[in-house]
Amino acid sequence: MDIAQLALEEAALKALADTVNDRLKEVKNAMQEQLVNNGISKVTASLPDGTKVATISRSDAKPAAVVIDDDAFLAFVRSIAPDEISTRLVTEVRPAYRTSLLAQMTAAGVARIVDTDTGELHDVPGVEVKATRALTHSVRTATGGKEAIAEAWRTGQLAHLNPLQLEAGEAS
């Protein structure tokens, strides 16, 4: 293959990939909106002939305890467990204790812990339990799904999707 043909092929593939990736982002956002708005956790993707090619599954954000104010959290731990504070150039809660407290709060779903020695309940300043990742969904291709999609594409069964609408001046 000569360099001119390679250059054309690379340019064409880049234009197609950019167009497909832009359309994928649009469709993925629309799918996420539909999943959330309709309370759907899973949907099957099937070809027009009914062949199952993939499963789309919603992943919900899972709340976790997160320190949002290090100074408040440090002062709190210093007041209940001063031995868990280490002082170097920076004063901080020992990482293992921080992880333990955050895990307790994540499990409880609130920024509150129980002192195991006294049974006293403590609200923990500087910590919030909040979603740590965005809502999303995944696509798991069924066995043989890629091949079935490729064949459907070649035979025109997916022409109604037309994700490759290239217009003059759009490629970058």
Side-chain angles (χ1 to χ4, degrees):
M1 194 178 289
D2 72 3
I3 194 162
Q5 188 172 349
L6 282 172
L8 174 60
E9 186 173 354
E10 182 174 352
L13 290 171
K14 179 167 182 353
L16 290 170
D18 289 349
T19 300
V20 168
N21 285 329
D22 289 345
R23 181 65 182 144
L24 178 59
K25 288 176 191 170
E26 292 171 11
V27 170
K28 187 169 184 159
N29 288 336
M31 173 59 77
Q32 186 65 37
E33 187 176 312
Q34 288 292 318
L35 291 170
V36 170
N37 291 345
N38 294 302
I40 298 170
S41 60
K42 190 182 285 191
V43 64
T44 299
S46 299
L47 294 174
D49 68 5
T51 302
K52 177 183 173 182
V53 293
T55 301
I56 313 290
S57 301
R58 188 176 80 189
S59 303
D60 291 327
K62 292 184 170 67
V66 178
V67 175
I68 59 167
D69 182 340
D70 283 317
D71 293 335
F73 184 67
L74 174 64
F76 167 74
V77 172
R78 181 176 276 141
S79 74
I80 67 157
D83 292 346
E84 295 298 335
I85 302 296
S86 61
T87 303
R88 299 184 305 251
L89 294 176
V90 176
T91 302
E92 65 183 7
V93 177
R94 290 184 187 183
Y97 191 68
R98 176 186 179 113
T99 299
S100 172
L101 288 183
L102 292 175
Q104 288 177 49
M105 291 180 273
T106 295
V110 293
R112 188 176 300 136
I113 63 159
V114 175
D115 185 320
T116 54
D117 294 332
T118 66
E120 186 178 355
L121 194 60
H122 297 281
D123 287 322
V124 182
V127 175
E128 280 184 10
V129 177
K130 60 183 184 176
T132 57
R133 66 178 185 180
L135 294 174
T136 188
H137 62 274
S138 62
V139 178
R140 284 186 305 285
T141 306
T143 302
K146 285 183 182 181
E147 295 80 5
I149 290 169
E151 182 61 22
W153 183 268
R154 278 191 294 278
T155 62
Q157 293 179 56
L158 301 179
H160 64 288
L161 299 180
N162 203 6
L164 299 178
Q165 294 177 354
L166 292 174
E167 295 181 23
E170 278 192 9
S172 54

